[in-house]
Structures are given as C-alpha cells and as structure tokens.
Amino acid sequence: MSLEDLEFKNDLDILFKAILELQTIEECYKFFEDITTINELKAISQRIQVARMLRDKKIYIEIAEKTGASTATISRVNKCLNYGKGGYNIILDRIYPNK
C-alpha cells in the first residue's frame, strides 16, 4: 500500500500543497513547529541524515553513532533507498547535487 491508496489522500494533498507554499526556512520552522512535535521533526530529519550517510556508503555502526538512529531505522531507510519510491534520492540529489 502506498500513500496514494489511503482514504485520507485528499487530506494529504492539502498538507503537501501547504508545504509547497512555504518559501523560506523560517516559514518552515514556524509551520512544522506548529503541526509536529520536536521529536517528530527530529525523527524525520534523522532519517534524511541516515539516507545521506547510506548513499555515502557509511556502515550501520558509524551511522548509528553519528545520528543516534537505531539499526532498525537505518535498515528501514536503506530499504526505502533501494526499493522505495525514490523520494529520498530526489531530495538528496537536490540538496547535495555534486554527490
């Protein structure tokens, strides 16, 4: 099952449209602090760092030490990098275009 198959897809569309309207990092801080908890934001940002390190061919133990992510989280991100929809790669290619 993918997000596109969920019954609340219309709600997700509104959320994603809202995110696309954000224009600055300051606006992102304000919006995400209002709609998420600090722990949720930390978990999401941690996964992006894990994905970057996995693409840089770092080993699990090094990733865990540097990010604080569990091996289960690292494994899940690795699975998404290799078999997912390509979302991590889209973002990583745009943030770090020379890698």
Side-chain angles (χ1 to χ4, degrees), residues 13-79:
D13 287 349
I14 292 168
L15 171 63
F16 296 150
K17 286 176 185 178
I19 292 168
L20 290 171
E21 290 298 319
L22 298 170
Q23 296 180 6
T24 66
I25 289 179
E26 182 179 319
E27 287 181 357
C28 289
Y29 272 97
K30 290 176 181 179
F31 180 69
F32 283 98
E33 192 167 330
D34 282 350
I35 68 166
T36 66
T37 67
I38 299 298
N39 286 336
E40 289 167 335
L41 281 175
K42 182 179 176 185
I44 293 167
S45 62
Q46 180 186 67
R47 289 181 186 125
I48 295 169
Q49 292 307 313
V50 167
R52 179 181 182 201
M53 294 179 78
L54 285 167
R55 282 204 348 176
D56 289 345
K57 307 295 185 208
K58 304 296 183 194
I59 60 172
Y60 276 37
I61 193 155
E62 181 180 358
I63 296 169
E65 287 173 356
K66 289 196 175 181
T67 66
S70 68
T71 55
T73 296
I74 298 167
S75 179
R76 168 92 166 83
V77 171
N78 192 44
K79 181 179 175 185

